[in-house]
Amino acid sequence: MAVKIRLARHGKKGYPFYHIVAADSRAPRDGKYIEKLGTYNPNTNPATINLNFEQALGWLLKGAQPTDTCRAILSYKGVMYKKHLMGGVAKGAFNETEAEARFNKWMEAKNGKIEAKNNKVASDARDAQKARLAAESKVNEDRAKAIAEKKAEEVAAAAKAAEEAAAAAAEEAPAADAETPAAE
């Protein structure tokens, strides 16, 4: 029986969520599996990976073949590197303590990169929010200026209309005064 380490799709349409499983290569994608090794959620940024490291390493050492995507996930989590180091120990290239030291050094560097990416994503989100708020405040200021200008124009138009009405009333009043003595 050939064992594959692969993804089994779960989740709703358009929003996938995967289980990382060790399964018989003849079994269907979402069908029966031997053991669940972890989960993979590509919908978050960065993608969320929960993996049982020891189980995954055990299956690789037993000869399970990962699919391309699972190989990338296992490599990202360090399982493939650990398998590589275990092969070096088996061949006698170095001892187990040196292999463990190399692996820990690699994991520290990897965790630093992951932390840097998380910080960058968070700062980008904050910067985007600040930009949206600045754009919104600019639009609100422009809208307030337009409303103030419109009110100023209305006040000026009302003042002009009142002035014209007063001027018309002033013109009518002397004419009415002039006509009144003639009528007497």
Side-chain angles (χ1 to χ4, degrees):
M1 171 172 77
V3 176
K4 288 267 193 191
I5 297 176
R6 65 181 180 202
L7 299 177
R9 191 183 196 282
H10 291 75
K12 60 184 182 179
K13 183 168 78 171
Y15 198 80
F17 182 84
Y18 298 96
H19 290 185
I20 302 168
V21 297
D24 183 1
S25 62
R26 297 169 293 183
R29 178 192 71 179
D30 299 334
K32 187 175 177 182
Y33 57 86
I34 301 167
E35 187 173 16
K36 180 180 170 184
L37 304 176
T39 59
Y40 168 60
N41 185 1
N43 301 309
T44 60
N45 187 12
T48 306
I49 301 169
N50 295 321
L51 183 69
N52 187 328
F53 190 89
E54 296 302 322
Q55 286 179 337
L57 182 62
W59 277 107
L60 283 176
L61 292 175
K62 289 176 190 171
Q65 295 296 313
T67 60
D68 293 339
T69 306
C70 282
R71 181 179 302 277
I73 291 170
L74 294 174
S75 179
Y76 179 80
K77 287 303 228 179
V79 178
M80 298 301 285
Y81 186 58
K82 181 78 169 188
K83 179 182 181 258
H84 172 72
L85 291 174
M86 297 301 283
V89 169
K91 291 178 183 175
F94 42 85
N95 59 15
E96 199 166 327
T97 57
E98 185 179 341
E100 194 64 34
R102 287 183 186 184
F103 181 72
N104 289 335
K105 182 180 175 186
W106 181 86
M107 281 302 288
E108 288 175 11
K110 183 69 171 180
N111 288 336
K113 288 179 186 177
I114 291 169
E115 187 65 31
K117 181 172 183 180
N118 287 339
N119 291 339
K120 184 179 183 314
V121 167
S123 67
D124 287 348
R126 284 192 303 270
D127 293 343
Q129 184 177 9
K130 285 180 184 177
R132 282 194 307 270
L133 288 174
E136 184 178 342
S137 64
K138 184 178 184 315
V139 167
N140 288 341
E141 288 172 5
D142 292 345
R143 199 174 286 155
K145 283 181 184 177
I147 290 171
E149 288 175 3
K150 187 174 182 182
K151 283 189 178 184
E153 288 175 5
E154 288 176 359
V155 168
K160 186 175 181 182
E163 196 177 287
E164 289 176 359
E171 287 177 12
E172 288 179 14
D177 289 340
E179 291 176 14
T180 316
E184 287 179 14

